[in-house]
Amino acid sequence: MSDNIRNFRLSDIEENKGYNRVILQIFGLPGNGKSSFINSCKFVIDGGVFVAHAEAGDNYKGTTTKRIPHELTKSIWMVDNRGMPTLHRFQTGEIFAQLGNLLKVNQEVEWVEDFNKNVDRMWAELNNEDSLQDLIVPILIHSVRNNIQKEAETYRELLNTARELTGITPYIVLTHKYSGGVESMKSVFTNMGIKKIYTIENYTTECQSVVREKHEEIIEFLTEVLEDIKFRVIHMGDPREERQRHYKFIIKYMKETSDLKKDEDYKNKNSEESGKKKGPCFLF
């Protein structure tokens, strides 16, 4: 199974329409194990000594601020990401632009609220011939220590949109599996319609002794991802047409987000001015 992962090539799929690299796009909350998961996958596939290729944070603060690509194999890359501190639409819009292959890697991840600036950023990437050859796979990393019951509907929208953009149902990787609460967390995501849920205990600098169970979990995960990719490639359209579709969808989403922000700011401003006009109220 490991050899199949190392030897995987998109060019070997007859129906391929020009894609030559798989991008496993990681996203999720800060400090939930995104970077550690990348390190774990590289450790399993590369073999040898554990190396912290991606800098991992702790205490849910996170340290990654850029989208940083890490080569897993010649054909498969894993892209680390800045953690979303909230699920505000400006942050989810940034994730959608990444999944739509409309933002460059190796750049700072920004929560840009200016609509025109967002358009300029994506327009600059719209006709990038190199990234047109990338096939994006959405992977949400989430720690079982974080309860998301209250945000379940927002997560549902995030994951459904990720599926719409990429044509691939997002994979859920639950980290810190020995912390308890794994089954209840699985239920939360299952109720959102997500079936591809994996539980992982990452390798870390402090805990890097080779464990067969950890290796098998990661190899099984990557094997399933490649099977999904083979199916998706057969049914994908022209890369340029796909990107144009993504561009229109994300522009619409960001315009709606910008308009909502303007309405909210207008209401807040009127509320403040109304309070000032009333003046102070003294009780004697």
Side-chain angles (χ1 to χ4, degrees):
M1 292 172 74
S2 298
D3 287 342
N4 288 338
I5 295 166
R6 296 187 190 98
N7 296 329
F8 176 82
R9 300 288 185 275
L10 282 168
S11 57
D12 292 338
I13 304 174
E14 291 184 7
E15 296 85 352
N16 185 13
K17 300 176 180 66
Y19 299 96
N20 68 5
R21 183 171 69 164
V22 174
I23 297 291
L24 305 184
Q25 180 56 70
I26 308 296
F27 61 101
L29 299 174
N32 273 226
K34 296 184 295 298
S35 300
S36 294
F37 180 63
I38 291 173
N39 290 334
S40 297
C41 289
K42 285 190 66 63
F43 181 40
V44 170
I45 298 303
D46 292 348
V49 179
F50 177 86
V51 177
H53 299 272
E55 185 179 357
D58 54 13
N59 297 323
Y60 304 105
K61 293 180 180 179
T63 59
T64 306
T65 60
K66 295 182 179 181
R67 288 177 72 210
I68 305 174
H70 297 274
E71 182 179 335
L72 187 63
T73 72
K74 292 297 182 183
S75 297
I76 306 169
W77 289 66
M78 303 186 76
V79 178
D80 206 355
N81 211 344
R82 178 183 179 184
M84 303 176 292
T86 69
L87 293 176
H88 191 279
R89 282 178 64 102
F90 286 112
Q91 294 174 22
T92 56
E94 175 81 11
I95 298 301
F96 296 156
Q98 295 174 7
L99 296 175
N101 208 8
L102 286 162
L103 292 176
K104 291 182 179 180
V105 296
N106 271 326
Q107 291 189 345
E108 292 288 333
V109 176
E110 304 177 74
W111 315 129
V112 177
E113 297 188 6
D114 184 275
F115 173 70
N116 291 325
K117 184 175 180 181
N118 276 322
V119 172
D120 290 343
R121 294 165 68 213
M122 291 188 292
W123 181 259
E125 186 67 8
L126 189 60
N127 296 308
N128 184 341
E129 292 292 326
D130 291 336
S131 60
L132 272 174
Q133 301 172 29
D134 292 338
L135 191 151
I136 311 291
V137 179
I139 301 173
L140 174 68
I141 308 294
H142 187 80
S143 170
V144 298
R145 299 170 181 171
N146 282 340
N147 190 320
I148 57 169
Q149 291 283 1
K150 294 181 180 179
E151 299 87 7
E153 285 306 311
T154 306
Y155 269 92
R156 187 193 302 272
E157 178 189 356
L158 172 65
L159 296 170
N160 284 341
T161 303
R163 175 166 42 206
E164 172 66 23
L165 285 170
T166 62
I168 296 175
T169 300
Y171 285 82
I172 308 297
V173 175
L174 300 178
T175 59
H176 304 115
K177 63 180 287 187
Y178 298 128
S179 298
V182 169
E183 294 306 318
S184 61
M185 187 61 68
K186 279 185 176 180
S187 296
V188 172
F189 285 108
T190 299
N191 291 336
M192 296 180 196
I194 305 296
K195 305 299 182 185
K196 301 167 185 176
I197 304 171
Y198 288 80
T199 57
I200 301 289
E201 190 67 26
N202 283 321
Y203 285 108
T204 64
T205 303
E206 296 76 24
C207 186
Q208 54 181 273
S209 298
V210 176
V211 178
R212 178 178 178 179
E213 180 185 358
K214 289 184 180 182
H215 267 53
E216 288 180 343
E217 288 169 344
I218 289 171
I219 290 171
E220 288 171 6
F221 163 79
L222 292 171
T223 298
E224 179 61 27
V225 168
L226 295 186
E227 289 301 314
D228 231 358
I229 288 168
K230 292 174 186 176
F231 179 85
R232 176 60 179 145
V233 167
I234 294 171
H235 296 87
M236 288 190 78
D238 178 79
R240 290 173 181 79
E241 293 177 1
E242 290 278 330
R243 181 175 280 181
Q244 288 287 346
R245 179 176 66 85
H246 298 161
Y247 180 75
K248 291 177 182 178
F249 175 91
I250 297 164
I251 287 293
K252 181 175 182 290
Y253 181 89
M254 289 186 168
K255 183 64 169 64
E256 291 173 351
T257 301
S258 180
D259 290 343
L260 288 171
K261 178 71 164 52
K262 289 178 182 177
D263 290 343
E264 184 180 337
D265 290 344
Y266 180 77
K267 290 177 183 178
N268 291 337
K269 183 178 179 181
N270 284 347
S271 178
E272 290 175 4
E273 291 178 352
S274 176
K276 290 177 182 178
K277 289 179 181 179
K278 290 180 181 180
C281 178
F282 299 101
L283 298 176
F284 296 95

